[in-house]
Amino acid sequence: MTALSSENCFQYQLRQANQPLDGNCLLFLIILGKVLLNILTLGMRRKNSYHNFMEYFCFSLAFTDLLLLVSISIIYYFRDFVLLGIRFTKYHICLFTQIISFTYGFLHIPVFLIAFIDYYLNFSKTARLALKCQKLFYFFTVILIWISVLAYVLGDPGIYQSLKAQSVYSFQCPFYISIQSYWLSFSMLMILLMAFITSWSEVIALVQAVRLTSYMNETILYFPFSSHSSSTLSSKKTLLPKFIICFLGTWLPFVLLQVIILLLKVQIPAYIEMNIPWLYFVNSFLSATIYWFNCHKLNLRDVALPADPFVNWKCCFIPLTIHNLEQIENPISIIIC
């Protein structure tokens, strides 16, 4: 299969300097960049991460982006051809991307809610399934949500009229801007802001005291504390600043990017905004939320927490008298949350 190259794009632009930029060529470059970002993000994640709905959905999103890229490449290369009795032209490049944009735009809230329920059930262990059955359940759940949202998009009269109008004015190819992603991002940032304001003094103190080290062949954060402290280590007030440090230590650049986008009211097409880094950011936020609300159940000596693909939520609390973790053979005095 011959794919469209970036060199051909720029050569075309030089030859057509007096004409508008080829939107199809630019669209190909954007989708190509997104596919490469998907591959990079999936390659950087922890390989032993816990099986959950969000992980399966991320793989389905990467596959959908790749399928869109291949479709655009084939249509742009052949320009006008017939397949299975259907005639494909350059108009279909815009049409397919518009349908994908509408579909992505309506997926944010459903994916967020399903992932939240999935984390809650896994943590509370109210539903126990065999590993094979769990994988099949996640697979069919992902397929069902894609089919449901796509059917809604194709069956909505307003969306149909929008796609029909574009076929009349083929020189225009507007893309859907998701309102769901805006409010979801705004809500998460507000929650983060309120959590930081609530415990900002503890966060500053912990940032000054926190240390990064290796224990049991894992990189961990540990927070020295007074062994005579009367506060309960598993209390929500105690854990909140530590969770904030763990979360922002990984996602601070992404949080700042979201703040800039919201303040400047940047309108990003839905086919770009729904991406794997964004989903992993949401996944980490959900993990922290579930762990915090169930802090009284946190005890890694008895229960293995679902591993986040990027954030290590294992924070060691060590008495001030202990200075070398590697010398401890039996970590009785170490409480991990």
Side-chain angles (χ1 to χ4, degrees):
M1 182 185 302
T2 304
L4 182 64
S5 66
S6 58
E7 182 180 356
N8 292 337
C9 291
F10 291 116
Q11 289 178 353
Y12 178 86
Q13 294 170 24
L14 290 175
R15 291 196 305 267
Q16 306 291 337
N18 58 336
Q19 296 183 7
L21 177 66
D22 186 356
N24 293 331
C25 186
L26 181 60
L27 182 61
F28 167 83
L29 293 177
I30 293 174
I31 301 298
L32 176 62
K34 187 184 178 186
V35 169
L36 295 177
L37 180 63
N38 291 342
I39 296 174
L40 178 63
T41 307
L42 290 174
M44 291 174 59
R45 82 190 198 286
R46 287 194 183 93
K47 301 301 183 294
N48 59 343
S49 59
Y50 187 82
H51 292 286
N52 54 40
F53 166 78
M54 188 67 82
E55 192 77 13
Y56 279 72
F57 185 81
C58 286
F59 279 104
S60 70
L61 179 67
F63 175 78
T64 305
D65 286 336
L66 181 61
L67 187 63
L68 178 62
L69 178 67
V70 173
S71 302
I72 290 176
S73 301
I74 294 176
I75 296 175
Y76 194 92
Y77 181 80
F78 291 103
R79 297 182 182 273
D80 193 340
F81 65 97
V82 177
L83 179 64
L84 300 177
I86 303 175
R87 183 183 178 185
F88 293 92
T89 64
K90 292 176 65 176
Y91 153 72
H92 288 87
I93 295 178
C94 178
L95 178 63
F96 290 161
T97 310
Q98 280 188 315
I99 294 175
I100 289 295
S101 290
F102 281 113
T103 305
Y104 284 3
F106 289 110
L107 278 170
H108 290 273
I109 299 299
V111 168
F112 181 89
L113 294 177
I114 295 176
F116 179 83
I117 295 173
D118 176 51
Y119 259 121
Y120 177 80
L121 294 178
N122 281 324
F123 192 90
S124 61
K125 306 243 183 290
T126 55
R128 297 297 298 270
L129 295 175
L131 181 60
K132 186 175 181 180
C133 294
Q134 195 176 38
K135 291 181 178 180
L136 288 175
F137 177 76
Y138 288 141
F139 176 79
F140 285 112
T141 301
V142 169
I143 296 297
L144 179 62
I145 191 174
W146 276 106
I147 293 176
S148 300
V149 176
L150 184 61
Y152 172 78
V153 168
L154 296 179
D156 185 84
I159 297 176
Y160 175 78
Q161 291 298 328
S162 175
L163 297 176
K164 186 176 180 181
Q166 190 275 327
S167 64
V168 177
Y169 304 99
S170 58
F171 59 88
Q172 296 179 351
C173 191
F175 296 112
Y176 177 69
I177 308 297
S178 176
I179 192 65
Q180 286 190 8
S181 64
Y182 173 86
W183 287 112
L184 184 59
S185 178
F186 179 81
S187 301
M188 290 192 296
L189 290 179
M190 288 298 101
I191 293 174
L192 281 174
L193 179 61
M194 289 187 293
F196 182 81
I197 292 176
T198 302
S199 58
W200 70 271
S201 58
E202 291 87 350
V203 171
I204 299 300
L206 283 175
V207 168
Q208 296 174 349
V210 69
R211 298 180 184 179
L212 183 68
T213 187
S214 176
Y215 177 74
M216 303 290 287
N217 297 323
E218 286 192 23
T219 301
I220 61 170
L221 295 176
Y222 74 92
F223 305 93
F225 73 98
S226 174
S227 57
H228 302 289
S229 176
S230 60
S231 61
T232 304
L233 292 175
S234 61
S235 67
K236 294 181 179 180
K237 184 177 180 181
T238 304
L239 293 180
L240 182 58
K242 299 173 179 63
F243 280 172
I244 292 175
I245 291 175
C246 290
F247 184 82
L248 294 182
T250 300
W251 294 109
L252 182 59
F254 202 88
V255 171
L256 296 177
L257 177 62
Q258 294 298 313
V259 171
I260 293 174
I261 291 175
L262 291 179
L263 290 179
L264 299 181
K265 297 182 179 179
V266 180
Q267 293 189 334
I268 303 176
Y271 73 91
I272 300 176
E273 196 168 32
M274 172 64 83
N275 54 73
I276 292 181
W278 160 254
L279 291 176
Y280 278 143
F281 171 78
V282 173
N283 185 72
S284 296
F285 180 86
L286 289 174
S287 301
T289 303
I290 292 295
Y291 294 166
W292 186 74
F293 275 110
N294 295 274
C295 61
H296 57 284
K297 300 179 182 178
L298 292 175
N299 184 0
L300 289 192
R301 287 175 292 185
D302 301 326
V303 180
L305 295 181
D308 189 286
F310 285 94
V311 181
N312 190 353
W313 298 107
K314 298 179 182 179
C315 311
C316 294
F317 300 80
I318 304 163
L320 293 171
T321 55
I322 300 177
H323 301 287
N324 194 338
L325 289 178
E326 298 297 341
Q327 294 178 356
I328 304 175
E329 297 180 358
N330 188 15
I332 298 177
S333 60
I334 299 178
I335 302 176
I336 307 177
C337 70

